Amino acid sequence: PLAALSGVNADRVAAAGWAFGSFTAGLTGVLLAPYLRLDPYGLPLLVMEVIAVAALAGMRSLPTAVPVSYTH
């Protein structure tokens, strides 16, 4: 509702966000596959690990997430 009051089309912004997120996730999977020997079972496990690190970092900032990723 606040986006509509500002004149921003919230559905278009949400669609653009999903498209960008999907593109970057796919690109990351393609670029990491040769180095990490990813298969259809390994990539979801990598995604779960990344989500866990982001959750432990409080989903606030990259400088907070990087040290958390090295401790786990």
Side-chain angles (χ1 to χ4, degrees), residues 46-59 68:
L46 177 65
V47 170
M48 292 297 289
E49 182 178 344
V50 170
I51 290 172
V53 167
L56 288 173
M59 299 214 187
V68 170

Side-chain angles (χ1 to χ4, degrees), residues 3 8-22:
V8 176
N9 187 346
D11 290 333
R12 184 173 290 176
V13 172
W18 275 99
F20 180 72
S22 299

Side-chain angles (χ1 to χ4, degrees), residues 10-69:
D11 290 333
R12 184 173 290 176
V13 172
W18 275 99
F20 180 72
S22 299
F23 171 75
T24 54
L27 182 65
T28 302
V30 167
L31 293 177
L32 287 178
Y35 298 109
L36 299 178
R37 230 181 99 218
L38 297 178
D39 54 16
Y41 305 106
L43 186 57
L45 293 175
L46 177 65
V47 170
M48 292 297 289
E49 182 178 344
V50 170
I51 290 172
V53 167
L56 288 173
M59 299 214 187
R60 296 281 178 185
S61 67
L62 184 62
T64 305
V66 171
V68 170
S69 68

